[in-house]
Amino acid sequence: MELLSGLLSSLGLSGAAGLNAYIPLLVVGLLSRSGVLHLSAPYDLLGNPWVLLGVGVLGLLDFVGDKIPGVDHALHLVGGVVNAAAGAVLFTAQAGIADVPPALSLALGLLVAGGVHTTRAAIRPLATATTGGLANPVVSTAEDGASLTLSLLAVFAPLLAALGLAGVLVLAYRLWAGRRARRVT
C-alpha cells in the first residue's frame, strides 16, 4: 500500500511540476521544513531555508513573467528543462519512500512533468492568438492554481492527485483537439 501511495504522490507532484516547477518544490520544501513530510537525503535539501528562498525568488519571477504575453513563451522554452528536472526530482524524492529504483523514478518524473509542460506550452499559444494575449494572465493563474492543488493533494490525498492529473490531461487533450479541428475547417 505504501508503494502505491508513494507512486501516486510522485505522479501528482511531477504533474504539478509540469504546470509550474516552483510551486510543488516550495510545497514539498515547506512541508519538509515543518516536519509534516520526511524526505531522505539528498532530497531533504528542499527544506533548507536557502534553497527555499532561491526557489521562492525564482518562482516569483516566473509567476510574474508567465502573465506577460511573449515573456511567457520564452519562459516555456526554458521551462521545458526546468519543469522536467523539477518533476524528476520531486518524483524521486517521493518515490524514494516506496523503494522504487532512482533511475526509474527520475525517468518517470521527467516524462510526466515534461509531458505536462509540453502540452501546456503547446496549448498556451491558442490563448494568446485568440485573445490577443488578454487571457494569458487568467490561463497562467489557473495553471498555478492547478499546480498548487495537485501538489497539496499529492502529499495529503495521493489518489485524488492522480485523478486530478488525469483530469488536467483530459482537459488539455480536449483543448488541443479543438484547436486542431478549428485549423482543419
Side-chain angles (χ1 to χ4, degrees), residues 98-126:
D99 297 325
V100 174
L104 177 61
S105 295
L106 285 168
L108 289 172
L110 187 80
L111 288 172
V112 171
V116 169
H117 177 75
T118 300
T119 304
R120 167 188 173 218
I123 291 173
R124 180 65 78 87
L126 175 66

Side-chain angles (χ1 to χ4, degrees), residues 16 23 30 33 46 55 66 71 79-80 84 87 101 107 109 120 135 139-140 181 184-185:
I23 291 174
L30 290 170
R33 179 119 182 105
L46 290 173
V55 171
D66 199 39
V71 174
R120 167 188 173 218
V139 172
S140 176
V184 172
T185 57

Side-chain angles (χ1 to χ4, degrees), residues 80-177:
V81 174
V82 173
N83 292 53
V89 166
L90 288 162
F91 196 104
T92 306
Q94 282 300 101
I97 298 168
D99 297 325
V100 174
L104 177 61
S105 295
L106 285 168
L108 289 172
L110 187 80
L111 288 172
V112 171
V116 169
H117 177 75
T118 300
T119 304
R120 167 188 173 218
I123 291 173
R124 180 65 78 87
L126 175 66
T128 302
T130 58
T131 66
L134 295 175
N136 287 29
V138 175
V139 172
S140 176
T141 302
E143 292 167 351
D144 294 340
S147 180
L148 178 60
T149 302
L150 274 175
S151 298
L152 292 171
L153 286 175
V155 173
F156 298 112
L159 179 59
L160 291 178
L163 292 173
L165 179 59
V168 166
L169 294 174
V170 167
L171 177 63
Y173 174 77
R174 286 186 172 186
L175 289 171
W176 181 255

